[in-house]
Amino acid sequence: MVDALREELADLTASVRAFLEWHAMTGADGLPGDPSALHEALGASPSAGGPPAARRAERGFAGLDAPAAPRGGGGAAFAPPAQRGAAGASPAHPEQGASAPHPEPRAAEARAPAQPPRAPEPSPRPAVSAAAAPRAEPAARAIAAAQPDTPEERAARLSLIAEEVRTCQKCPLHEGRTHTVFSRGDPLSEIVFVGEGPGAEEDQQGEPFVGAAGQLLDKMIAAMGYHRDGVYICNIVKCRPPKNRKPEPAEMAACSPYLASQLALIKPKVIVALGATAVQGLIGTTEGITKLRGTWKLYKGSIPIMPTFHPAYLLRQPSAKREVWSDLKEVMRHLGKSAPDRG
Ligand code: URA
């Protein structure tokens, strides 16, 4: 009798812990409005530090020698998820879709110096199992609700979520898909690239970024000193929107628990958001990518996001590679990596 009570109490405690942890991890209610969280995640106090020492201009993925300066040092650039969806869905607009852009003219803004960032402190591991997560939540979230103990466990949980995605019918995008497109790359990666959604080739192959934009992305990744399979790549939505249109806000919202779970399990040091839709799906802002790129943002109050142009845009507007390379070098600085000499 006493044993049974004890067991019940232990279960209850585990459930409460899992619930609290799930909230802490998913930031279910959005982002903190406190810009100091961003500074903390980047390892710099708002007042600390100055401009980084001038650096040798390295060659980027397109052999560009004079990359654009990074945009202002990231402070209070938060927007609540409630703003989601106000951006419209015209795929022909540069700020909206992977299949869009010619960017609006850059506003002549003062650029604050970039802070030398450090990786955020890892949060303490919860002492609960996935099984103890609240039952009412979507399965993907429950699967991600406690940190995996081993790489194998992480991979296994991601596979479970991918399996759930394979049969997902939460939004109308499932009707037109050939394959769901969950991810590719290394779930142990310190860096995650997030795109908008699968295109035709991705839909055919069931892998993200395998078309022309993907090949350019691979070059960008190689220029950073990574192998394409050494980073983790995924999208805001896991099914192809018809005619490659931008995903609707409701579609993004339906798919967002999957991405949240992926990121909760991987806990990357940095997310690179490719294009406006990726930033919108991650933090809800509807600001244009021309304004957003190069400025650090925060995902769920803890993971630094670097927004940059989508590679599909670069295919149309190769001169924008300069800015992208600048953004990627900022990411490398954050990760303590120097740009490889590509000369
Ligand atoms: N564009 C994206 O945003 N994602 C892909 O997977 C492919 C192209």
Side-chain angles (χ1 to χ4, degrees):
M1 174 69 178
V2 175
D3 280 352
L5 276 175
R6 230 183 240 142
E7 210 172 299
E8 207 171 306
L9 193 61
D11 274 358
L12 196 63
T13 310
S15 294
V16 171
R17 271 209 205 125
F19 181 77
L20 292 175
E21 177 59 25
W22 178 79
H23 266 273
M25 242 180 351
T26 60
D29 295 327
L31 294 159
D34 176 8
S36 64
L38 178 59
H39 289 281
E40 198 180 307
L42 292 173
S45 76
S47 58
R55 290 168 195 276
R56 182 172 60 82
E58 304 99 340
R59 286 194 174 188
F61 56 91
L64 295 166
D65 285 320
R71 292 172 69 85
F78 302 109
Q83 289 181 10
R84 211 173 255 201
S90 162
H93 192 280
E95 299 296 349
Q96 295 308 309
S99 56
H102 49 84
E104 70 208 8
R106 170 74 51 78
E109 317 154 3
R111 288 170 175 242
Q115 302 290 341
R118 276 197 314 268
E121 288 297 310
S123 55
R125 172 172 294 175
V128 293
S129 71
R135 280 181 204 119
E137 296 305 333
R141 281 196 162 146
I143 290 164
Q147 281 302 289
D149 284 328
T150 62
E152 293 76 21
E153 201 182 324
R154 182 185 307 196
R157 290 200 206 177
L158 286 165
S159 297
L160 283 177
I161 300 167
E163 201 49 51
E164 189 189 341
V165 166
R166 250 188 287 283
T167 55
C168 177
Q169 301 195 345
K170 284 200 225 158
C171 85
L173 291 185
H174 80 271
E175 289 162 11
R177 76 184 172 215
T178 310
H179 292 108
T180 54
V181 175
F182 187 66
S183 71
R184 71 171 160 94
D186 184 357
L188 300 179
S189 175
E190 59 190 0
I191 178 165
V192 168
F193 291 81
V194 178
E196 176 177 309
E201 289 184 60
E202 289 77 19
D203 175 64
Q204 282 302 314
Q205 296 187 36
E207 263 201 33
F209 283 100
V210 290
Q215 281 158 27
L216 182 53
L217 178 61
D218 290 347
K219 287 190 186 145
M220 291 158 55
I221 290 166
M224 296 173 79
Y226 293 99
H227 188 268
R228 76 191 284 275
D229 300 327
V231 298
Y232 193 85
I233 303 174
C234 57
N235 282 308
I236 296 293
V237 294
K238 315 300 190 202
C239 298
R240 182 191 179 201
K243 299 188 179 147
N244 292 346
R245 67 158 166 75
K246 175 184 164 18
E248 299 287 352
E251 294 158 354
M252 288 162 59
C255 219
S256 72
Y258 299 132
L259 179 62
S261 301
Q262 284 172 294
L263 294 172
L265 284 169
I266 294 169
K267 279 192 177 286
K269 288 185 183 155
V270 174
I271 298 167
V272 177
L274 301 167
T277 306
V279 192
Q280 188 184 345
L282 286 163
I283 63 172
T285 182
T286 55
E287 253 187 296
I289 190 66
T290 307
K291 185 120 186 282
L292 288 167
R293 65 140 285 272
T295 63
W296 288 106
K297 302 285 178 283
L298 265 190
Y299 176 74
K300 311 254 187 223
S302 63
I303 305 177
I305 301 175
M306 175 54 70
T308 196
F309 291 130
H310 193 286
Y313 169 62
L314 298 183
L315 292 173
R316 289 182 181 76
Q317 193 70 39
S319 63
K321 288 177 183 172
R322 190 173 293 252
E323 276 96 349
V324 171
W325 182 233
S326 164
D327 302 341
L328 296 181
K329 284 201 295 179
E330 182 58 25
V331 168
M332 290 155 70
R333 271 194 283 278
H334 176 72
L335 295 172
K337 288 169 73 87
S338 58
D341 187 357
R342 302 177 57 78

